[in-house]
Amino acid sequence: MPDIHRRAAVIATFCEARPGRDPAYVALAEEFGAALGRRGCGLVYGAGGVGVMGAVAGAALAHGATVTGVVPHDLHERERSGTAPGQTFVVQSMHERKALMYRLSSAFAVLPGGFGTLDELMEVATWNQLGTHRKRVVLLNAKGYFDSLLGFLDTVAREGFMTGEERDLVQVTDRVEEALDLLTAEPGEAGASPARDGLRPAPDSRTPAR
């Protein structure tokens, strides 16, 4: 029997505010966002209104997900956060952005991206390694995008700089539904609530008409 008291999963999605060269990356983001919404999950993301980031948030919102964006003040204009789907919280720094995204989320999905995406991936994996939190990390490996990174992590483990158990903290699949199965599986920690934290969205947040 399902646990009716269990809070819905809230998935932080790390990805790029650029579309990439292949339209398959934006298509993957739209597929993932739509599936997330259909499952009744919430989305936390970097509040970019463009690229892979904007695509996943727009699709999630269109399919009924609660969408929460977090952006530093310096990136508010650059990443077009004024047109970003969902409620947007503007913070002072990248450190505050990441800390709030981690706190609000119950698991982490990683889609194709650049330095920022990889930074967030490594930090949440390290927090799991150190026991700072216990939240699943899943790479959605479109077109083998993360194959080289996964090979490097295998090398790190093989050379004795992490254990096999630590290596397995980063899970991977190329299928959207399997990614969501992994992200919503127990055990894990529930994310916090913006309302309970006393947070207020930016006045230009975009939410759907009810």
Side-chain angles (χ1 to χ4, degrees):
M1 178 180 296
D3 181 1
I4 62 173
H5 300 293
R6 181 182 174 189
R7 289 180 57 191
V10 179
I11 311 301
T13 301
F14 305 141
C15 54
E16 183 60 65
R18 298 173 179 169
R21 295 190 179 187
D22 192 323
Y25 297 129
V26 168
L28 174 76
E30 291 172 342
E31 181 186 357
F32 181 74
L36 184 150
R38 287 194 296 267
R39 291 216 187 185
C41 300
L43 173 73
V44 174
Y45 77 117
V50 292
V52 175
M53 199 181 295
V56 69
L61 192 66
H63 287 80
T66 298
V67 174
T68 304
V70 185
V71 65
H73 184 269
D74 288 348
L75 294 182
H76 190 241
E77 293 300 324
R78 185 190 309 176
E79 296 188 353
R80 300 185 192 175
S81 296
T83 62
Q87 289 190 328
T88 299
F89 296 91
V90 181
V91 296
Q92 291 301 310
S93 68
M94 288 294 291
H95 293 295
E96 290 183 25
R97 178 198 219 179
K98 293 191 292 182
L100 181 55
M101 289 179 69
Y102 303 167
R103 191 164 76 246
L104 296 178
S105 306
S106 57
F108 306 102
V110 186
L111 277 64
F115 279 139
T117 301
L118 297 174
D119 170 50
E120 290 160 337
L121 162 63
M122 293 303 175
E123 187 163 57
V124 295
T126 300
W127 284 26
N128 273 330
Q129 180 188 41
L130 297 176
T132 306
H133 62 202
R134 189 165 57 106
K135 301 182 180 184
R136 291 178 179 267
V137 181
V138 177
L139 305 187
L140 195 45
N141 193 25
K143 298 183 60 190
Y145 182 81
F146 291 111
D147 285 353
S148 296
L149 174 63
L150 293 165
F152 172 70
L153 295 179
D154 290 339
T155 297
V156 174
R158 186 172 60 249
E159 296 299 324
F161 292 102
M162 68 170 67
T163 66
E165 184 177 80
E166 290 167 342
R167 164 65 184 83
D168 291 341
L169 291 172
V170 178
Q171 299 176 284
V172 61
T173 179
D174 60 1
R175 298 191 297 274
V176 163
E177 294 296 340
E178 183 178 2
L180 286 167
D181 287 342
L182 292 169
L183 290 162
T184 57
E186 298 274 20
E189 298 174 1
S193 162
R196 285 209 311 269
D197 277 12
L199 299 171
R200 295 291 181 270
D204 58 356
S205 292
R206 303 294 179 103
T207 54
R210 298 293 185 186

mmCIF file of all heavy atoms in Angstrom, residues 3 18 37 45 53 56-57 64 78 118 120 128 140 151 154 170-171 173 193 197-198 208:
data_model
loop_
_atom_site.group_PDB
_atom_site.id
_atom_site.type_symbol
_atom_site.label_atom_id
_atom_site.label_comp_id
_atom_site.label_asym_id
_atom_site.label_seq_id
_atom_site.Cartn_x
_atom_site.Cartn_y
_atom_site.Cartn_z
ATOM 1 N N ASP A 3 2.436 4.904 0.705
ATOM 2 C CA ASP A 3 2.462 5.765 1.889
ATOM 3 C C ASP A 3 1.870 7.116 1.515
ATOM 4 O O ASP A 3 2.520 7.935 0.858
ATOM 5 C CB ASP A 3 3.898 5.920 2.385
ATOM 6 C CG ASP A 3 3.992 6.790 3.629
ATOM 7 O OD1 ASP A 3 2.942 7.257 4.112
ATOM 8 O OD2 ASP A 3 5.121 7.010 4.101
ATOM 9 N N ARG A 18 22.462 26.693 -22.186
ATOM 10 C CA ARG A 18 22.673 26.705 -23.635
ATOM 11 C C ARG A 18 22.009 25.457 -24.204
ATOM 12 O O ARG A 18 21.870 24.452 -23.505
ATOM 13 C CB ARG A 18 24.162 26.686 -23.973
ATOM 14 C CG ARG A 18 24.937 27.883 -23.478
ATOM 15 C CD ARG A 18 26.428 27.690 -23.710
ATOM 16 N NE ARG A 18 27.199 28.841 -23.259
ATOM 17 C CZ ARG A 18 28.523 28.848 -23.160
ATOM 18 N NH1 ARG A 18 29.217 27.777 -23.484
ATOM 19 N NH2 ARG A 18 29.156 29.928 -22.750
ATOM 20 N N GLY A 37 6.845 15.817 -14.422
ATOM 21 C CA GLY A 37 5.542 16.372 -14.092
ATOM 22 C C GLY A 37 4.458 15.312 -14.013
ATOM 23 O O GLY A 37 3.606 15.331 -13.107
ATOM 24 N N TYR A 45 15.685 24.035 -10.140
ATOM 25 C CA TYR A 45 16.679 24.204 -11.194
ATOM 26 C C TYR A 45 17.295 25.588 -11.085
ATOM 27 O O TYR A 45 16.938 26.378 -10.209
ATOM 28 C CB TYR A 45 16.048 23.968 -12.571
ATOM 29 C CG TYR A 45 15.199 25.106 -13.100
ATOM 30 C CD1 TYR A 45 15.558 25.785 -14.256
ATOM 31 C CD2 TYR A 45 14.037 25.515 -12.443
ATOM 32 C CE1 TYR A 45 14.790 26.832 -14.748
ATOM 33 C CE2 TYR A 45 13.261 26.554 -12.927
ATOM 34 C CZ TYR A 45 13.647 27.209 -14.080
ATOM 35 O OH TYR A 45 12.887 28.240 -14.558
ATOM 36 N N MET A 53 18.247 24.096 -19.732
ATOM 37 C CA MET A 53 17.637 24.465 -18.463
ATOM 38 C C MET A 53 16.197 24.959 -18.657
ATOM 39 O O MET A 53 15.270 24.519 -17.965
ATOM 40 C CB MET A 53 18.487 25.544 -17.784
ATOM 41 C CG MET A 53 18.232 25.693 -16.298
ATOM 42 S SD MET A 53 19.255 27.009 -15.557
ATOM 43 C CE MET A 53 20.906 26.359 -15.770
ATOM 44 N N VAL A 56 13.772 21.953 -19.791
ATOM 45 C CA VAL A 56 13.309 21.008 -18.774
ATOM 46 C C VAL A 56 12.280 21.663 -17.859
ATOM 47 O O VAL A 56 11.265 21.052 -17.506
ATOM 48 C CB VAL A 56 14.499 20.427 -17.970
ATOM 49 C CG1 VAL A 56 15.158 21.447 -17.079
ATOM 50 C CG2 VAL A 56 14.051 19.227 -17.149
ATOM 51 N N ALA A 57 12.496 22.927 -17.505
ATOM 52 C CA ALA A 57 11.565 23.609 -16.603
ATOM 53 C C ALA A 57 10.226 23.884 -17.281
ATOM 54 O O ALA A 57 9.160 23.710 -16.678
ATOM 55 C CB ALA A 57 12.182 24.912 -16.109
ATOM 56 N N GLY A 64 2.381 19.902 -14.998
ATOM 57 C CA GLY A 64 1.839 19.939 -13.654
ATOM 58 C C GLY A 64 2.821 19.957 -12.512
ATOM 59 O O GLY A 64 2.414 19.914 -11.345
ATOM 60 N N ARG A 78 21.554 37.622 -17.364
ATOM 61 C CA ARG A 78 22.277 36.836 -18.370
ATOM 62 C C ARG A 78 21.529 35.563 -18.739
ATOM 63 O O ARG A 78 21.506 35.167 -19.907
ATOM 64 C CB ARG A 78 23.675 36.488 -17.852
ATOM 65 C CG ARG A 78 24.533 35.775 -18.875
ATOM 66 C CD ARG A 78 25.817 35.233 -18.266
ATOM 67 N NE ARG A 78 26.558 36.225 -17.516
ATOM 68 C CZ ARG A 78 27.674 35.952 -16.843
ATOM 69 N NH1 ARG A 78 28.150 34.716 -16.817
ATOM 70 N NH2 ARG A 78 28.300 36.907 -16.181
ATOM 71 N N LEU A 118 29.054 20.333 -14.025
ATOM 72 C CA LEU A 118 30.022 19.396 -13.457
ATOM 73 C C LEU A 118 30.382 19.774 -12.024
ATOM 74 O O LEU A 118 30.578 18.895 -11.164
ATOM 75 C CB LEU A 118 31.276 19.363 -14.327
ATOM 76 C CG LEU A 118 31.060 18.848 -15.752
ATOM 77 C CD1 LEU A 118 32.346 18.990 -16.565
ATOM 78 C CD2 LEU A 118 30.586 17.400 -15.751
ATOM 79 N N GLU A 120 28.398 21.231 -9.838
ATOM 80 C CA GLU A 120 27.275 20.819 -8.975
ATOM 81 C C GLU A 120 27.257 19.306 -8.795
ATOM 82 O O GLU A 120 27.021 18.799 -7.688
ATOM 83 C CB GLU A 120 25.971 21.320 -9.592
ATOM 84 C CG GLU A 120 25.833 22.833 -9.498
ATOM 85 C CD GLU A 120 24.835 23.411 -10.479
ATOM 86 O OE1 GLU A 120 24.549 22.782 -11.526
ATOM 87 O OE2 GLU A 120 24.336 24.520 -10.208
ATOM 88 N N ASN A 128 27.476 13.403 -0.445
ATOM 89 C CA ASN A 128 27.062 12.029 -0.134
ATOM 90 C C ASN A 128 28.227 11.236 0.445
ATOM 91 O O ASN A 128 28.067 10.490 1.419
ATOM 92 C CB ASN A 128 26.538 11.336 -1.399
ATOM 93 C CG ASN A 128 25.064 11.582 -1.650
ATOM 94 O OD1 ASN A 128 24.284 11.763 -0.719
ATOM 95 N ND2 ASN A 128 24.670 11.591 -2.916
ATOM 96 N N LEU A 140 21.777 11.504 -16.606
ATOM 97 C CA LEU A 140 20.982 11.120 -17.757
ATOM 98 C C LEU A 140 21.898 11.243 -18.979
ATOM 99 O O LEU A 140 22.148 12.338 -19.484
ATOM 100 C CB LEU A 140 19.749 12.015 -17.869
ATOM 101 C CG LEU A 140 18.619 11.557 -18.784
ATOM 102 C CD1 LEU A 140 18.278 10.081 -18.602
ATOM 103 C CD2 LEU A 140 17.382 12.399 -18.549
ATOM 104 N N GLY A 151 34.207 7.074 -17.399
ATOM 105 C CA GLY A 151 35.469 6.360 -17.509
ATOM 106 C C GLY A 151 36.519 6.923 -16.570
ATOM 107 O O GLY A 151 37.295 6.169 -15.959
ATOM 108 N N ASP A 154 35.811 5.718 -13.087
ATOM 109 C CA ASP A 154 36.268 4.330 -12.961
ATOM 110 C C ASP A 154 37.776 4.283 -12.730
ATOM 111 O O ASP A 154 38.273 3.483 -11.923
ATOM 112 C CB ASP A 154 35.906 3.543 -14.220
ATOM 113 C CG ASP A 154 34.416 3.304 -14.362
ATOM 114 O OD1 ASP A 154 33.693 3.378 -13.343
ATOM 115 O OD2 ASP A 154 33.966 3.056 -15.500
ATOM 116 N N VAL A 170 27.347 7.804 -7.872
ATOM 117 C CA VAL A 170 26.900 8.437 -9.123
ATOM 118 C C VAL A 170 26.337 7.339 -10.015
ATOM 119 O O VAL A 170 27.076 6.497 -10.528
ATOM 120 C CB VAL A 170 28.055 9.170 -9.824
ATOM 121 C CG1 VAL A 170 27.570 9.765 -11.148
ATOM 122 C CG2 VAL A 170 28.613 10.266 -8.931
ATOM 123 N N GLN A 171 25.019 7.353 -10.186
ATOM 124 C CA GLN A 171 24.343 6.364 -11.016
ATOM 125 C C GLN A 171 24.113 6.936 -12.415
ATOM 126 O O GLN A 171 24.148 8.153 -12.614
ATOM 127 C CB GLN A 171 23.022 5.953 -10.373
ATOM 128 C CG GLN A 171 23.208 5.322 -8.994
ATOM 129 C CD GLN A 171 21.891 5.010 -8.310
ATOM 130 O OE1 GLN A 171 21.220 5.896 -7.812
ATOM 131 N NE2 GLN A 171 21.518 3.747 -8.302
ATOM 132 N N THR A 173 21.993 6.341 -16.423
ATOM 133 C CA THR A 173 21.101 5.674 -17.365
ATOM 134 C C THR A 173 20.918 6.594 -18.564
ATOM 135 O O THR A 173 21.132 7.804 -18.460
ATOM 136 C CB THR A 173 19.737 5.356 -16.723
ATOM 137 O OG1 THR A 173 18.894 4.715 -17.693
ATOM 138 C CG2 THR A 173 19.041 6.629 -16.247
ATOM 139 N N SER A 193 11.093 22.990 2.311
ATOM 140 C CA SER A 193 10.030 23.724 1.644
ATOM 141 C C SER A 193 10.376 25.210 1.632
ATOM 142 O O SER A 193 10.744 25.761 2.672
ATOM 143 C CB SER A 193 8.704 23.517 2.375
ATOM 144 O OG SER A 193 7.763 24.502 2.032
ATOM 145 N N ASP A 197 10.937 27.732 4.917
ATOM 146 C CA ASP A 197 12.194 28.456 5.093
ATOM 147 C C ASP A 197 11.996 29.965 5.080
ATOM 148 O O ASP A 197 12.956 30.720 5.218
ATOM 149 C CB ASP A 197 13.175 28.079 3.980
ATOM 150 C CG ASP A 197 13.910 26.786 4.301
ATOM 151 O OD1 ASP A 197 13.500 26.098 5.248
ATOM 152 O OD2 ASP A 197 14.890 26.476 3.608
ATOM 153 N N GLY A 198 10.759 30.422 4.880
ATOM 154 C CA GLY A 198 10.477 31.846 4.875
ATOM 155 C C GLY A 198 10.916 32.552 3.607
ATOM 156 O O GLY A 198 11.081 33.766 3.591
ATOM 157 N N PRO A 208 1.969 29.292 -14.148
ATOM 158 C CA PRO A 208 0.848 29.138 -15.052
ATOM 159 C C PRO A 208 -0.454 29.664 -14.450
ATOM 160 O O PRO A 208 -0.617 29.675 -13.239
ATOM 161 C CB PRO A 208 0.776 27.626 -15.273
ATOM 162 C CG PRO A 208 1.357 27.042 -14.012
ATOM 163 C CD PRO A 208 2.412 28.020 -13.572
#
